[in-house]
Amino acid sequence: MMAMKSAASTLLSASSVITRNFHASGGKKKIVGVFYKGNEYASSNPNFVGCVEGALGIRDWLESKGHEYIVTDDKEGPNSELEKHIPDLNVLISTPFHPAYVTAERIKKAKNLELLLTAGIGSDHIDLKAAAAAGLTVAEVTGSNTVSVAEDELMRILILTRNFVPGYHQSITGEWNVAGIAHRAYDLEGKTIGTVGAGRIGKLLLQRLKPFNCNLLYHDRLKMEPELEQETGAKFEEDVDAMLPKCDVIVINMPLTEKTKGMFDKNRIAKLKKGVLIVNNARGAIMDTQAVADACTSGHIAGYSGDVWFPQPAPKDHPWRYMPNHAMTPHISGTTIDAQLRYAAGVKDMLEKHFKGEDFPKQNYIVKAGELASQYR
């Protein structure tokens, strides 16, 4: 149980626990899942469970228990499929890859809502303060896609460092211009790489970068264990603004909070090393969208890659689609088939526990008994 901060918080805590146990006392539940559509790819892999059609592989199980399970990708606006079910749903499952934005207004309308689950990691699409005030539980499948994201980050670092994208475009357009690639392609060895955030994903990335013989730096609220620092050779930087100008490559590995929203604005970007490369698989809103686009255009940022945008799905006129020297993709890093199977299993486990009135694994809670997890405070 997270520590209570005040008498008011304690009162809210007691109220929330009572609400949760009451809701979990049995009976038919209405569960709504919001995922991306698989379309023509839905039947291509039996383990492709993260899409609407796959429905996390839990439809038969839920319906056999007498629950109603509705799955959709239609999540925005007053006439969306999700909006129709807000007033009487009990559980909402969403995903960072196609997030259902759960605003304070939606929480207010959701009179029967008990539980908000994230199939994956990162619950910033939910108004967490409003959820806490309403006595709701918010949880995610901690650790389910950390390996997936860390591997993807390493790939993006190499793609930017080696100037891969122009070479790929040449291969499909019939060109052959080695100079057009080689004039800004570098080895990774000897470069200084800094991660802003060294939680589960950041630590895995540092471990995977160790064999490349880079100079590794990290900034976080907490220092890593001495054994892990020794293993990776990573050096702790207490002051993020002192670390950033040292870096040839910057990787964003922190959650989106009120404090980190827009953290990389025009002024902070201007202080970075000219020609810096940035990888961001954390959250798009940590960056000032236009400031990144302008810095890529001027060359101050020599390359930007990531799979997170704001909002998601990104509109067709999003500036990052058209800025030079980018290697952006849709939000895919944490939804590999392996990750889908892990977070689907985690969601099923938490639903089962919720129906029985049992606690979830401690690390999965984002809001519990009126308290936000430490990384979101």
Side-chain angles (χ1 to χ4, degrees), residues 224-287:
M224 294 192 302
E225 302 84 353
E227 297 79 13
L228 191 55
E229 278 195 347
Q230 186 173 3
E231 175 194 334
T232 61
K235 296 179 181 177
F236 176 67
E237 294 275 344
E238 186 173 3
D239 184 347
V240 67
D241 286 312
M243 179 187 83
L244 293 174
K246 302 175 184 177
C247 298
D248 302 299
V249 182
I250 295 168
V251 187
I252 312 301
N253 273 312
M254 57 186 170
L256 176 64
T257 65
E258 290 179 2
K259 183 177 179 181
T260 63
K261 185 176 182 179
M263 176 178 169
F264 281 79
D265 57 11
K266 180 179 179 180
N267 293 332
R268 185 167 263 125
I269 289 172
K271 297 174 184 176
L272 306 181
K273 183 182 291 189
K274 182 174 173 55
V276 69
L277 305 175
I278 299 177
V279 171
N280 179 16
N281 281 1
R283 288 295 181 264
I286 292 172
M287 319 301 288

Short mmCIF file of all heavy atoms in Angstrom, two decimals, residues 224-287:
data_model
loop_
_atom_site.label_atom_id
_atom_site.label_comp_id
_atom_site.label_asym_id
_atom_site.label_seq_id
_atom_site.Cartn_x
_atom_site.Cartn_y
_atom_site.Cartn_z
N MET A 224 21.35 4.26 -9.90
CA MET A 224 21.27 2.82 -10.08
C MET A 224 22.06 2.11 -8.99
O MET A 224 22.89 2.73 -8.31
CB MET A 224 21.83 2.41 -11.45
CG MET A 224 21.03 2.91 -12.63
SD MET A 224 21.52 2.14 -14.19
CE MET A 224 23.25 2.55 -14.30
N GLU A 225 21.81 0.82 -8.87
CA GLU A 225 22.59 0.02 -7.94
C GLU A 225 24.06 0.06 -8.36
O GLU A 225 24.38 0.05 -9.55
CB GLU A 225 22.10 -1.44 -7.96
CG GLU A 225 20.64 -1.61 -7.61
CD GLU A 225 19.70 -1.40 -8.78
OE1 GLU A 225 20.18 -0.98 -9.85
OE2 GLU A 225 18.49 -1.61 -8.62
N PRO A 226 24.98 0.12 -7.39
CA PRO A 226 26.42 0.19 -7.72
C PRO A 226 26.87 -0.94 -8.64
O PRO A 226 27.72 -0.73 -9.51
CB PRO A 226 27.10 0.10 -6.35
CG PRO A 226 26.08 0.60 -5.39
CD PRO A 226 24.75 0.18 -5.93
N GLU A 227 26.29 -2.14 -8.45
CA GLU A 227 26.68 -3.27 -9.28
C GLU A 227 26.32 -3.04 -10.75
O GLU A 227 27.09 -3.38 -11.65
CB GLU A 227 25.98 -4.55 -8.79
CG GLU A 227 26.35 -4.99 -7.38
CD GLU A 227 25.63 -4.20 -6.31
OE1 GLU A 227 24.66 -3.47 -6.62
OE2 GLU A 227 26.04 -4.31 -5.13
N LEU A 228 25.15 -2.42 -11.00
CA LEU A 228 24.72 -2.15 -12.37
C LEU A 228 25.53 -1.01 -12.99
O LEU A 228 25.86 -1.05 -14.18
CB LEU A 228 23.23 -1.82 -12.40
CG LEU A 228 22.57 -1.77 -13.79
CD1 LEU A 228 22.80 -3.08 -14.54
CD2 LEU A 228 21.08 -1.49 -13.66
N GLU A 229 25.86 -0.03 -12.17
CA GLU A 229 26.75 1.04 -12.66
C GLU A 229 28.08 0.46 -13.10
O GLU A 229 28.64 0.82 -14.13
CB GLU A 229 26.96 2.11 -11.58
CG GLU A 229 25.86 3.14 -11.49
CD GLU A 229 26.27 4.35 -10.68
OE1 GLU A 229 27.32 4.29 -9.97
OE2 GLU A 229 25.56 5.37 -10.74
N GLN A 230 28.62 -0.45 -12.29
CA GLN A 230 29.90 -1.07 -12.61
C GLN A 230 29.78 -1.94 -13.85
O GLN A 230 30.67 -1.93 -14.72
CB GLN A 230 30.39 -1.90 -11.42
CG GLN A 230 31.79 -2.46 -11.62
CD GLN A 230 32.31 -3.13 -10.36
OE1 GLN A 230 31.61 -3.22 -9.36
NE2 GLN A 230 33.55 -3.61 -10.41
N GLU A 231 28.68 -2.69 -13.96
CA GLU A 231 28.48 -3.57 -15.10
C GLU A 231 28.40 -2.80 -16.42
O GLU A 231 28.99 -3.19 -17.42
CB GLU A 231 27.19 -4.37 -14.91
CG GLU A 231 26.80 -5.24 -16.11
CD GLU A 231 25.38 -5.73 -16.03
OE1 GLU A 231 24.83 -5.84 -14.91
OE2 GLU A 231 24.79 -6.01 -17.10
N THR A 232 27.66 -1.69 -16.41
CA THR A 232 27.44 -0.92 -17.65
C THR A 232 28.51 0.15 -17.88
O THR A 232 28.70 0.59 -19.02
CB THR A 232 26.07 -0.22 -17.61
OG1 THR A 232 26.04 0.69 -16.49
CG2 THR A 232 24.95 -1.23 -17.49
N GLY A 233 29.17 0.57 -16.80
CA GLY A 233 30.11 1.68 -16.92
C GLY A 233 29.41 3.02 -17.02
O GLY A 233 30.05 4.04 -17.32
N ALA A 234 28.10 3.06 -16.79
CA ALA A 234 27.34 4.30 -16.91
C ALA A 234 27.60 5.21 -15.72
O ALA A 234 27.71 4.76 -14.58
CB ALA A 234 25.85 4.00 -17.02
N LYS A 235 27.70 6.50 -15.99
CA LYS A 235 27.96 7.49 -14.94
C LYS A 235 26.70 8.31 -14.66
O LYS A 235 26.02 8.76 -15.58
CB LYS A 235 29.10 8.42 -15.37
CG LYS A 235 30.43 7.71 -15.56
CD LYS A 235 31.52 8.67 -16.02
CE LYS A 235 32.84 7.93 -16.23
NZ LYS A 235 33.91 8.84 -16.74
N PHE A 236 26.41 8.49 -13.38
CA PHE A 236 25.23 9.23 -12.95
C PHE A 236 25.46 10.73 -13.09
O PHE A 236 26.51 11.25 -12.72
CB PHE A 236 24.91 8.90 -11.49
CG PHE A 236 23.78 9.69 -10.91
CD1 PHE A 236 22.48 9.51 -11.38
CD2 PHE A 236 24.00 10.61 -9.90
CE1 PHE A 236 21.42 10.22 -10.83
CE2 PHE A 236 22.95 11.32 -9.34
CZ PHE A 236 21.66 11.13 -9.81
N GLU A 237 24.48 11.43 -13.66
CA GLU A 237 24.52 12.89 -13.79
C GLU A 237 23.33 13.44 -13.03
O GLU A 237 22.17 13.28 -13.43
CB GLU A 237 24.43 13.29 -15.27
CG GLU A 237 25.62 12.88 -16.11
CD GLU A 237 26.77 13.88 -16.04
OE1 GLU A 237 26.53 15.02 -15.59
OE2 GLU A 237 27.89 13.52 -16.45
N GLU A 238 23.61 14.11 -11.93
CA GLU A 238 22.52 14.63 -11.10
C GLU A 238 21.77 15.77 -11.77
O GLU A 238 20.55 15.90 -11.63
CB GLU A 238 23.09 15.10 -9.75
CG GLU A 238 22.03 15.52 -8.76
CD GLU A 238 22.60 15.81 -7.38
OE1 GLU A 238 23.83 15.72 -7.20
OE2 GLU A 238 21.80 16.11 -6.47
N ASP A 239 22.48 16.59 -12.52
CA ASP A 239 21.90 17.76 -13.18
C ASP A 239 21.68 17.44 -14.66
O ASP A 239 22.64 17.30 -15.43
CB ASP A 239 22.84 18.96 -13.04
CG ASP A 239 22.27 20.24 -13.62
OD1 ASP A 239 21.27 20.18 -14.36
OD2 ASP A 239 22.85 21.31 -13.36
N VAL A 240 20.42 17.31 -15.07
CA VAL A 240 20.13 16.94 -16.46
C VAL A 240 20.66 17.98 -17.44
O VAL A 240 21.14 17.64 -18.53
CB VAL A 240 18.62 16.70 -16.65
CG1 VAL A 240 17.81 17.99 -16.48
CG2 VAL A 240 18.34 16.06 -18.00
N ASP A 241 20.59 19.25 -17.07
CA ASP A 241 21.05 20.30 -17.99
C ASP A 241 22.57 20.35 -18.10
O ASP A 241 23.09 20.91 -19.06
CB ASP A 241 20.50 21.66 -17.54
CG ASP A 241 19.01 21.79 -17.85
OD1 ASP A 241 18.61 21.48 -18.98
OD2 ASP A 241 18.25 22.19 -16.95
N ALA A 242 23.26 19.78 -17.14
CA ALA A 242 24.72 19.64 -17.26
C ALA A 242 25.07 18.45 -18.13
O ALA A 242 26.09 18.45 -18.84
CB ALA A 242 25.34 19.50 -15.87
N MET A 243 24.23 17.42 -18.09
CA MET A 243 24.50 16.21 -18.88
C MET A 243 24.23 16.40 -20.37
O MET A 243 25.02 15.98 -21.22
CB MET A 243 23.65 15.04 -18.36
CG MET A 243 23.86 13.74 -19.14
SD MET A 243 22.74 12.39 -18.67
CE MET A 243 21.29 12.84 -19.66
N LEU A 244 23.11 17.04 -20.70
CA LEU A 244 22.64 17.06 -22.08
C LEU A 244 23.65 17.62 -23.09
O LEU A 244 23.84 17.03 -24.16
CB LEU A 244 21.32 17.83 -22.17
CG LEU A 244 20.13 17.16 -21.48
CD1 LEU A 244 18.90 18.07 -21.49
CD2 LEU A 244 19.80 15.83 -22.14
N PRO A 245 24.34 18.73 -22.81
CA PRO A 245 25.29 19.26 -23.79
C PRO A 245 26.50 18.36 -24.05
O PRO A 245 27.22 18.55 -25.03
CB PRO A 245 25.73 20.61 -23.19
CG PRO A 245 24.68 20.96 -22.20
CD PRO A 245 24.20 19.65 -21.66
N LYS A 246 26.73 17.39 -23.18
CA LYS A 246 27.85 16.45 -23.36
C LYS A 246 27.53 15.35 -24.37
O LYS A 246 28.43 14.66 -24.84
CB LYS A 246 28.21 15.79 -22.03
CG LYS A 246 28.58 16.74 -20.90
CD LYS A 246 28.78 15.96 -19.59
CE LYS A 246 29.05 16.87 -18.43
NZ LYS A 246 29.17 16.12 -17.14
N CYS A 247 26.25 15.18 -24.68
CA CYS A 247 25.80 13.99 -25.38
C CYS A 247 25.80 14.14 -26.90
O CYS A 247 25.32 15.14 -27.44
CB CYS A 247 24.38 13.63 -24.94
SG CYS A 247 24.25 13.23 -23.19
N ASP A 248 26.31 13.11 -27.57
CA ASP A 248 26.15 12.98 -29.02
C ASP A 248 24.79 12.40 -29.36
O ASP A 248 24.21 12.70 -30.40
CB ASP A 248 27.24 12.07 -29.60
CG ASP A 248 28.63 12.59 -29.31
OD1 ASP A 248 28.95 13.70 -29.75
OD2 ASP A 248 29.40 11.87 -28.62
N VAL A 249 24.30 11.55 -28.47
CA VAL A 249 22.99 10.92 -28.62
C VAL A 249 22.25 11.04 -27.29
O VAL A 249 22.81 10.75 -26.23
CB VAL A 249 23.11 9.42 -29.00
CG1 VAL A 249 21.71 8.81 -29.19
CG2 VAL A 249 23.95 9.24 -30.25
N ILE A 250 20.99 11.48 -27.37
CA ILE A 250 20.13 11.59 -26.18
C ILE A 250 18.95 10.65 -26.36
O ILE A 250 18.31 10.65 -27.41
CB ILE A 250 19.64 13.03 -25.97
CG1 ILE A 250 20.81 13.97 -25.67
CG2 ILE A 250 18.60 13.10 -24.85
CD1 ILE A 250 20.46 15.43 -25.72
N VAL A 251 18.66 9.85 -25.34
CA VAL A 251 17.52 8.94 -25.37
C VAL A 251 16.58 9.32 -24.24
O VAL A 251 17.00 9.49 -23.10
CB VAL A 251 17.97 7.47 -25.22
CG1 VAL A 251 16.77 6.54 -25.42
CG2 VAL A 251 19.08 7.14 -26.20
N ILE A 252 15.30 9.46 -24.57
CA ILE A 252 14.30 9.84 -23.58
C ILE A 252 13.66 8.58 -23.01
O ILE A 252 13.09 7.78 -23.74
CB ILE A 252 13.20 10.74 -24.21
CG1 ILE A 252 13.83 11.87 -25.04
CG2 ILE A 252 12.28 11.28 -23.14
CD1 ILE A 252 14.74 12.78 -24.27
N ASN A 253 13.76 8.43 -21.69
CA ASN A 253 13.25 7.22 -21.03
C ASN A 253 12.54 7.58 -19.73
O ASN A 253 12.74 6.93 -18.70
CB ASN A 253 14.39 6.25 -20.74
CG ASN A 253 14.67 5.33 -21.91
OD1 ASN A 253 13.76 4.74 -22.48
ND2 ASN A 253 15.93 5.21 -22.29
N MET A 254 11.68 8.58 -19.76
CA MET A 254 10.96 8.99 -18.55
C MET A 254 9.47 9.09 -18.87
O MET A 254 9.07 9.26 -20.02
CB MET A 254 11.48 10.33 -18.05
CG MET A 254 11.41 11.44 -19.06
SD MET A 254 12.21 12.92 -18.45
CE MET A 254 12.23 13.92 -19.94
N PRO A 255 8.64 8.98 -17.84
CA PRO A 255 7.20 9.07 -18.08
C PRO A 255 6.78 10.50 -18.36
O PRO A 255 7.49 11.46 -18.02
CB PRO A 255 6.60 8.56 -16.76
CG PRO A 255 7.64 8.86 -15.73
CD PRO A 255 8.96 8.69 -16.43
N LEU A 256 5.62 10.64 -18.97
CA LEU A 256 5.02 11.95 -19.18
C LEU A 256 4.26 12.34 -17.92
O LEU A 256 3.32 11.65 -17.51
CB LEU A 256 4.08 11.92 -20.39
CG LEU A 256 3.30 13.22 -20.66
CD1 LEU A 256 4.25 14.35 -21.01
CD2 LEU A 256 2.28 13.00 -21.77
N THR A 257 4.68 13.44 -17.31
CA THR A 257 4.01 13.98 -16.12
C THR A 257 3.85 15.47 -16.32
O THR A 257 4.28 16.03 -17.33
CB THR A 257 4.86 13.73 -14.86
OG1 THR A 257 6.09 14.49 -14.96
CG2 THR A 257 5.21 12.25 -14.69
N GLU A 258 3.22 16.12 -15.36
CA GLU A 258 3.09 17.58 -15.45
C GLU A 258 4.47 18.24 -15.52
O GLU A 258 4.66 19.26 -16.18
CB GLU A 258 2.32 18.11 -14.24
CG GLU A 258 0.84 17.73 -14.25
CD GLU A 258 0.10 18.25 -13.03
OE1 GLU A 258 0.73 18.93 -12.19
OE2 GLU A 258 -1.11 17.98 -12.92
N LYS A 259 5.45 17.64 -14.84
CA LYS A 259 6.80 18.20 -14.80
C LYS A 259 7.55 17.99 -16.11
O LYS A 259 8.32 18.85 -16.55
CB LYS A 259 7.58 17.59 -13.64
CG LYS A 259 8.97 18.16 -13.45
CD LYS A 259 9.66 17.56 -12.24
CE LYS A 259 11.06 18.13 -12.06
NZ LYS A 259 11.77 17.54 -10.90
N THR A 260 7.34 16.84 -16.76
CA THR A 260 8.12 16.54 -17.97
C THR A 260 7.43 16.97 -19.26
O THR A 260 8.05 16.95 -20.31
CB THR A 260 8.43 15.03 -18.05
OG1 THR A 260 7.20 14.28 -18.17
CG2 THR A 260 9.19 14.55 -16.83
N LYS A 261 6.16 17.34 -19.20
CA LYS A 261 5.45 17.78 -20.40
C LYS A 261 6.14 19.03 -20.97
O LYS A 261 6.36 20.02 -20.28
CB LYS A 261 3.99 18.08 -20.08
CG LYS A 261 3.17 18.43 -21.31
CD LYS A 261 1.70 18.62 -20.94
CE LYS A 261 0.88 18.92 -22.19
NZ LYS A 261 -0.57 19.09 -21.86
N GLY A 262 6.50 18.95 -22.26
CA GLY A 262 7.17 20.08 -22.92
C GLY A 262 8.56 20.36 -22.39
O GLY A 262 9.11 21.44 -22.61
N MET A 263 9.18 19.40 -21.72
CA MET A 263 10.50 19.60 -21.11
C MET A 263 11.54 20.02 -22.14
O MET A 263 12.39 20.87 -21.88
CB MET A 263 10.92 18.32 -20.39
CG MET A 263 12.30 18.36 -19.79
SD MET A 263 12.65 16.80 -18.93
CE MET A 263 14.41 16.99 -18.62
N PHE A 264 11.50 19.39 -23.31
CA PHE A 264 12.46 19.74 -24.36
C PHE A 264 11.84 20.81 -25.25
O PHE A 264 11.28 20.54 -26.30
CB PHE A 264 12.87 18.50 -25.15
CG PHE A 264 13.88 17.65 -24.44
CD1 PHE A 264 13.49 16.79 -23.42
CD2 PHE A 264 15.23 17.75 -24.75
CE1 PHE A 264 14.42 16.03 -22.74
CE2 PHE A 264 16.17 16.98 -24.06
CZ PHE A 264 15.76 16.12 -23.06
N ASP A 265 11.95 22.05 -24.77
CA ASP A 265 11.42 23.19 -25.51
C ASP A 265 12.54 23.86 -26.30
O ASP A 265 13.68 23.36 -26.35
CB ASP A 265 10.76 24.18 -24.56
CG ASP A 265 11.71 24.69 -23.46
OD1 ASP A 265 12.94 24.44 -23.55
OD2 ASP A 265 11.22 25.33 -22.51
N LYS A 266 12.22 24.97 -26.92
CA LYS A 266 13.19 25.68 -27.78
C LYS A 266 14.46 26.03 -27.02
O LYS A 266 15.57 25.87 -27.53
CB LYS A 266 12.53 26.93 -28.34
CG LYS A 266 13.41 27.75 -29.25
CD LYS A 266 12.65 28.97 -29.77
CE LYS A 266 13.54 29.83 -30.68
NZ LYS A 266 12.79 31.02 -31.18
N ASN A 267 14.31 26.50 -25.79
CA ASN A 267 15.47 26.94 -25.01
C ASN A 267 16.37 25.78 -24.63
O ASN A 267 17.60 25.88 -24.72
CB ASN A 267 15.01 27.68 -23.75
CG ASN A 267 14.34 29.00 -24.07
OD1 ASN A 267 14.64 29.62 -25.09
ND2 ASN A 267 13.42 29.42 -23.21
N ARG A 268 15.78 24.66 -24.19
CA ARG A 268 16.60 23.51 -23.80
C ARG A 268 17.28 22.90 -25.02
O ARG A 268 18.45 22.49 -24.97
CB ARG A 268 15.75 22.48 -23.06
CG ARG A 268 16.57 21.33 -22.53
CD ARG A 268 15.82 20.48 -21.54
NE ARG A 268 16.12 20.85 -20.16
CZ ARG A 268 15.22 21.19 -19.26
NH1 ARG A 268 13.95 21.21 -19.59
NH2 ARG A 268 15.57 21.50 -18.03
N ILE A 269 16.55 22.80 -26.13
CA ILE A 269 17.14 22.24 -27.35
C ILE A 269 18.31 23.08 -27.82
O ILE A 269 19.32 22.56 -28.30
CB ILE A 269 16.05 22.11 -28.45
CG1 ILE A 269 15.07 20.99 -28.07
CG2 ILE A 269 16.69 21.84 -29.81
CD1 ILE A 269 13.86 20.90 -28.97
N ALA A 270 18.22 24.39 -27.68
CA ALA A 270 19.29 25.29 -28.12
C ALA A 270 20.59 25.04 -27.37
O ALA A 270 21.69 25.33 -27.88
CB ALA A 270 18.86 26.74 -27.94
N LYS A 271 20.49 24.48 -26.17
CA LYS A 271 21.68 24.23 -25.35
C LYS A 271 22.34 22.88 -25.65
O LYS A 271 23.41 22.58 -25.14
CB LYS A 271 21.31 24.30 -23.87
CG LYS A 271 20.82 25.68 -23.43
CD LYS A 271 20.32 25.65 -22.00
CE LYS A 271 19.74 27.01 -21.58
NZ LYS A 271 19.17 26.95 -20.22
N LEU A 272 21.68 22.07 -26.48
CA LEU A 272 22.24 20.77 -26.83
C LEU A 272 23.39 20.94 -27.82
O LEU A 272 23.50 21.96 -28.52
CB LEU A 272 21.17 19.88 -27.45
CG LEU A 272 19.87 19.67 -26.66
CD1 LEU A 272 18.93 18.75 -27.42
CD2 LEU A 272 20.17 19.13 -25.27
N LYS A 273 24.23 19.94 -27.90
CA LYS A 273 25.34 19.94 -28.85
C LYS A 273 24.79 20.03 -30.27
O LYS A 273 23.84 19.33 -30.62
CB LYS A 273 26.15 18.66 -28.67
CG LYS A 273 27.39 18.57 -29.56
CD LYS A 273 28.10 17.23 -29.35
CE LYS A 273 28.73 17.12 -27.99
NZ LYS A 273 29.60 15.90 -27.88
N LYS A 274 25.37 20.88 -31.10
CA LYS A 274 24.93 20.98 -32.49
C LYS A 274 25.22 19.66 -33.20
O LYS A 274 26.31 19.12 -33.11
CB LYS A 274 25.64 22.11 -33.23
CG LYS A 274 25.18 22.29 -34.67
CD LYS A 274 25.80 23.51 -35.32
CE LYS A 274 25.47 23.57 -36.81
NZ LYS A 274 24.03 23.53 -37.11
N GLY A 275 24.20 19.14 -33.87
CA GLY A 275 24.34 17.85 -34.53
C GLY A 275 23.94 16.68 -33.66
O GLY A 275 24.19 15.52 -34.01
N VAL A 276 23.28 16.96 -32.54
CA VAL A 276 22.85 15.89 -31.62
C VAL A 276 21.81 14.99 -32.29
O VAL A 276 21.05 15.42 -33.17
CB VAL A 276 22.28 16.51 -30.32
CG1 VAL A 276 20.96 17.23 -30.59
CG2 VAL A 276 22.12 15.45 -29.23
N LEU A 277 21.80 13.74 -31.88
CA LEU A 277 20.78 12.79 -32.30
C LEU A 277 19.88 12.49 -31.11
O LEU A 277 20.37 12.34 -29.99
CB LEU A 277 21.43 11.48 -32.79
CG LEU A 277 22.47 11.61 -33.91
CD1 LEU A 277 23.11 10.26 -34.21
CD2 LEU A 277 21.85 12.21 -35.17
N ILE A 278 18.58 12.42 -31.35
CA ILE A 278 17.62 12.19 -30.26
C ILE A 278 16.72 11.02 -30.59
O ILE A 278 16.18 10.93 -31.70
CB ILE A 278 16.76 13.44 -29.99
CG1 ILE A 278 17.64 14.62 -29.56
CG2 ILE A 278 15.71 13.15 -28.92
CD1 ILE A 278 16.87 15.92 -29.34
N VAL A 279 16.58 10.11 -29.63
CA VAL A 279 15.65 8.99 -29.74
C VAL A 279 14.62 9.13 -28.62
O VAL A 279 14.99 9.26 -27.45
CB VAL A 279 16.37 7.64 -29.63
CG1 VAL A 279 15.36 6.49 -29.53
CG2 VAL A 279 17.28 7.43 -30.84
N ASN A 280 13.36 9.11 -28.99
CA ASN A 280 12.29 9.26 -28.01
C ASN A 280 11.20 8.23 -28.24
O ASN A 280 10.37 8.37 -29.14
CB ASN A 280 11.69 10.67 -28.08
CG ASN A 280 10.54 10.86 -27.09
OD1 ASN A 280 10.38 10.08 -26.16
ND2 ASN A 280 9.76 11.90 -27.30
N ASN A 281 11.23 7.16 -27.44
CA ASN A 281 10.16 6.17 -27.42
C ASN A 281 9.34 6.30 -26.15
O ASN A 281 8.59 5.38 -25.82
CB ASN A 281 10.73 4.75 -27.51
CG ASN A 281 11.12 4.35 -28.92
OD1 ASN A 281 11.00 5.14 -29.85
ND2 ASN A 281 11.59 3.14 -29.08
N ALA A 282 9.48 7.42 -25.45
CA ALA A 282 8.79 7.60 -24.17
C ALA A 282 7.39 8.16 -24.42
O ALA A 282 6.43 7.41 -24.51
CB ALA A 282 9.60 8.50 -23.25
N ARG A 283 7.30 9.48 -24.61
CA ARG A 283 6.03 10.11 -24.95
C ARG A 283 6.31 11.36 -25.79
O ARG A 283 7.22 12.14 -25.48
CB ARG A 283 5.23 10.49 -23.70
CG ARG A 283 4.62 9.30 -22.97
CD ARG A 283 3.57 8.58 -23.80
NE ARG A 283 2.96 7.44 -23.11
CZ ARG A 283 3.35 6.19 -23.24
NH1 ARG A 283 4.40 5.89 -24.01
NH2 ARG A 283 2.71 5.21 -22.62
N GLY A 284 5.49 11.55 -26.81
CA GLY A 284 5.70 12.67 -27.72
C GLY A 284 5.58 14.02 -27.04
O GLY A 284 6.29 14.97 -27.38
N ALA A 285 4.68 14.14 -26.07
CA ALA A 285 4.42 15.43 -25.44
C ALA A 285 5.54 15.89 -24.52
O ALA A 285 5.51 17.01 -24.02
CB ALA A 285 3.10 15.38 -24.66
N ILE A 286 6.53 15.05 -24.29
CA ILE A 286 7.72 15.50 -23.55
C ILE A 286 8.49 16.53 -24.38
O ILE A 286 9.19 17.38 -23.84
CB ILE A 286 8.62 14.29 -23.19
CG1 ILE A 286 7.91 13.40 -22.16
CG2 ILE A 286 9.98 14.73 -22.65
CD1 ILE A 286 8.60 12.08 -21.89
N MET A 287 8.32 16.46 -25.68
CA MET A 287 8.99 17.38 -26.59
C MET A 287 8.04 18.50 -27.02
O MET A 287 6.83 18.28 -27.15
CB MET A 287 9.47 16.65 -27.85
CG MET A 287 10.08 15.28 -27.62
SD MET A 287 11.53 15.26 -26.53
CE MET A 287 12.75 16.02 -27.60
#
